[in-house]
Amino acid sequence: MSLADRIRHPALLAKVMSAEDAAGLIPVGANVGMSGFTGAGYPKRVPQALADRLAALHAAGREDARISLWTGASTAPELDGALAKAHGIATRLPYQSDPTCRQQINAGEMLYLDMHLSHVPQFAWFGFLGKLDVAVVEVVGVLPDGRLIPSTSVGNNKTWLDQAERVILEVNLRQNPALEGIHDIYYGTAMPPYRQPIPLVHPGDRIGEPYLHCDPDKVAAVVVTDLPDRNSTFTPPDAASAQIAGHLIDFLQHEVKAGRLPRDLLPLQSGVGNIANAVLAGLDEGPFGNLTAYTEVLQDNMLAMLRSGKLTLASASALSLSPQAYREFEDHIAFYKERIVLRPQGISNHPELIRRLGVIAMNAMIEADIYGNVNSTHIMGSSIMNGIGGSGDFARNAFLSIFMAPSTAKGGAISCIVPMVSHHDHTEHDVEVIVTEQGLADLRGLAPTQRARLVIERCAHPAYRDALRDYFDRARRTAPGQHTPHVLDEALGWHTRYLRTGHM
Ligand code: 0RQ
């Protein structure tokens, strides 16, 4: 396939230039919206060229040689990693998982706006984030009329292309042209007070069109890439993850028996990582069939469930697959295209749709407290791990909001069930079920003191259970209020003890 077959718009074909020349069009201090969502569909050459330019400016004494970087979600070493290593990011939003970014954020050198993923496109439209100067978006190809074939993620690309003053396109020849048709880009959104209901009532509904719009006159450069997505390798579930998955599947079966869930459950949302993968593997072997997914990231085990027929369709914003699973996807792309829809994150994570569809939200956490408040983002109250991502979009609006973690971390030195979380991402009001390898606490319909007993008995590790019982009993005796009793002097004492001694 020649370049002219990929870029079928002559005026855009004429704008092909080197990544270095394109990066030169991005001013220092600009707000730059880049594509990319969980390691998929991010630009691969312009960010590296920009990082080289910013590093050279730093070497020449330009300490202000930085940009503000907005994306869909996490990206990859070629984007977040390269720009962070060049000290080229002043402000980052809305989600990252890059070690260098994390280090710089925690050192106070990079500002980080950790945002709900569904908020990002509308905050950009509302003008809450300032003006978007440049968009850098990876695409698979350009149609003769200038519409764009999106890549392996959609993220915020529609918003970046609409809002940015200038656009740089990376046409990635490595991405499969047969991706054309898998996307559903909804152009029916509006600003309040003119918003209308979003006409999606089933996870697989297609309500938009398969292409992104972009005014060709705004396109300042087209760069050609031939590089694969990050495609992290897949790690098989460990023992704790498999136990967590087992508890969760027993619970879902119980809900079906009780008549609170249909036999084919409700659309599934699954976070990323080891535990999420174990839950999906358990569901693939489990008793349920005819399942659907309304989620933001499609990872290996969801692909396996589509292949086995357990899952009939999946809606997401990105394909985050290992190299092996991506080969399987490409080998059977026609099969998967009938069963997968990729959407903008403003739609995949939309509260209205999550509430309407009755999504079962399953996300990992860092720690929970005895009352069911959840911390998904911070280590010991102050240091960021990754970010809230889509977990809040789903938890607040789900039919069932489930959070999962091993009961201990760092070889047992940390209890993931604590008297009070050191940072709140999901309050007790948004958390219905907590699961660890020890067991599952169903918190629905329970008052705080009832929740505390259950979380301690079902979810805490035996090595920490007595200390939690003792804390709760003393709080019951001594707290001035008995609705959510705490010993305030001690509530964060487990964390401060860890910071002092290396053990909770
Ligand atoms: O640290 O790597 O230094 O060993 O935290 O923990 O157990 O490997 O868990 O990779 O599944 O990540 C919540 C961070 C879990 C993730 C979180 C330490 C632990 C380890 C990671 P090391 P694990 P996972 C969809 C939904 C928020 C976004 C979200 C996340 C490291 O799932 O970012 O849900 N979620 N999005 O040792 C101190 C504790 C700890 C702890 C674990 N209590 N105290 N350290 N760790 N518990 C996706 C998107 O939105 C895009």
Side-chain angles (χ1 to χ4, degrees), residues 37-38 72-74 95-97 102 117 238 269-276 295-297 349 362-368 375-380 385-394 403-411 414-418 422 425-426 495 498 504:
F37 198 109
T38 51
S74 52
Y95 181 84
Q96 61 73 44
S97 62
R102 185 182 296 137
L117 296 188
D238 58 21
Q269 179 259 334
S270 161
V272 284
N274 212 319
I275 297 175
T295 191
E296 56 191 16
V297 187
N349 287 39
M362 305 178 289
N363 289 296
M365 62 182 180
I366 286 172
E367 62 182 2
N375 166 14
S376 291
T377 57
H378 279 65
I379 304 298
M380 300 298 147
M385 187 62 179
N386 303 319
I388 195 167
S391 57
D393 294 323
F394 284 93
F403 281 95
M404 311 172 282
S407 63
T408 60
K410 302 288 176 209
I414 291 174
S415 173
C416 297
I417 305 295
V418 288
S422 60
D425 291 294
H426 313 289
H495 299 87
Y498 176 78
M504 276 189 173

Side-chain angles (χ1 to χ4, degrees), residues 5-16:
D5 292 326
R6 284 285 186 127
I7 308 172
R8 289 187 270 153
H9 187 280
L12 291 185
L13 186 60
K15 292 183 185 178
V16 170

Side-chain angles (χ1 to χ4, degrees), residues 333-408:
I333 201 159
F335 171 88
Y336 289 113
K337 252 165 66 175
E338 282 175 16
R339 292 163 179 81
I340 296 173
V341 188
L342 295 182
R343 309 180 189 280
Q345 70 195 66
I347 300 295
S348 64
N349 287 39
H350 201 294
E352 171 194 347
L353 304 176
I354 293 164
R355 184 73 67 97
R356 178 182 300 144
L357 295 171
V359 172
I360 300 176
M362 305 178 289
N363 289 296
M365 62 182 180
I366 286 172
E367 62 182 2
D369 68 28
I370 56 176
Y371 294 114
N373 299 287
V374 164
N375 166 14
S376 291
T377 57
H378 279 65
I379 304 298
M380 300 298 147
S382 308
S383 299
I384 194 74
M385 187 62 179
N386 303 319
I388 195 167
S391 57
D393 294 323
F394 284 93
R396 167 68 54 91
N397 301 293
F399 178 88
L400 263 178
S401 159
I402 301 164
F403 281 95
M404 311 172 282
S407 63
T408 60

Side-chain angles (χ1 to χ4, degrees), residues 156-174:
N156 287 314
N157 295 349
K158 172 189 165 291
T159 303
W160 297 166
L161 293 168
D162 285 344
Q163 292 267 312
E165 214 158 73
R166 280 175 156 188
V167 171
I168 296 172
L169 298 175
E170 273 204 31
V171 178
N172 190 345
L173 306 179
R174 186 68 66 94

